[in-house]
Amino acid sequence: MIVKPDGVRKRHCGDIISFLEKNDLDIIGMRLVKLTATTAGEFYDIHRGKPFYNDLLAYMTSGKVIVIALQAENAVARMREIIGATNPRDAAEGTIRQLYAESIESNAVHGSDTPENGRREVGFFFSEKDLLETT
Ligand code: CMP
């Protein structure tokens, strides 16, 4: 998961991390970072060429983000349930995006959409050594 620039700017990090803990998602890696255009571009490579890609990169590099590696049974499905739909207008009551997101772009958090992408995204920001030393 990534707490996006709007989540950090609006001081929602603590509340969002608290959601993870209350839902028994174990934090095994966490860092506050400022993404470069290259890093954000590689991370969101799957969206390259889409109409919102350039704005997404500009936005994701507009401030610091918190990258978080989570571990749990069915971690991706459970994490996606608590973050809610990408567009906060469609996000269910009580989800992170319903509570904290402003718009489809400034939507508070990014969450991996499949276990495969979850593994890729954790590997993108954390080495195995980082994770072993924190578990
Ligand atoms: P995220 O889960 O980080 O994955 C890609 C992001 O692109 C998404 O959340 C949105 O914040 C952003 N985005 C902007 N416009 C769109 C769109 N039309 N469809 C999907 N994602 C969009």
Side-chain angles (χ1 to χ4, degrees):
M1 172 186 276
I2 301 178
V3 181
K4 293 190 179 185
D6 58 300
V8 175
R9 259 193 299 268
K10 289 161 74 187
R11 303 194 179 98
H12 290 313
C13 299
D15 291 326
I16 291 169
I17 290 165
S18 178
F19 255 81
L20 303 176
E21 293 183 325
K22 283 184 187 139
N23 284 277
D24 299 323
L25 293 163
D26 290 327
I27 296 167
I28 59 166
M30 182 156 66
R31 254 192 355 261
L32 180 71
V33 293
K34 179 90 159 50
L35 300 180
T36 63
T38 307
T39 314
E42 273 175 42
F43 182 80
Y44 278 120
D45 194 52
I46 199 166
H47 295 302
R48 200 179 293 270
K50 292 188 183 163
F52 58 85
Y53 180 73
N54 288 342
D55 286 346
L56 175 62
L57 296 204
Y59 169 64
M60 289 301 288
T61 56
S62 70
K64 288 184 178 170
V65 301
I66 297 185
V67 294
I68 304 173
L70 296 168
Q71 186 173 54
E73 278 296 311
N74 296 320
V76 169
R78 283 168 48 197
M79 178 266 302
R80 291 187 70 74
E81 204 172 313
I82 64 165
I83 70 178
T86 305
N87 190 334
R89 280 187 308 193
D90 304 325
E93 195 71 26
T95 57
I96 291 174
R97 283 170 171 160
Q98 185 263 323
L99 288 168
Y100 306 121
E102 297 165 15
S103 63
I104 192 166
E105 182 175 76
S106 299
N107 63 349
V109 291
H110 163 80
S112 309
D113 60 350
T114 62
E116 294 68 38
N117 283 339
R119 270 187 283 277
R120 181 187 89 82
E121 293 180 0
V122 166
F124 191 87
F125 289 112
F126 300 95
S127 69
E128 246 171 70
K129 188 165 165 282
D130 286 336
L131 301 179
L132 283 174
E133 285 175 354
T134 54
T135 48

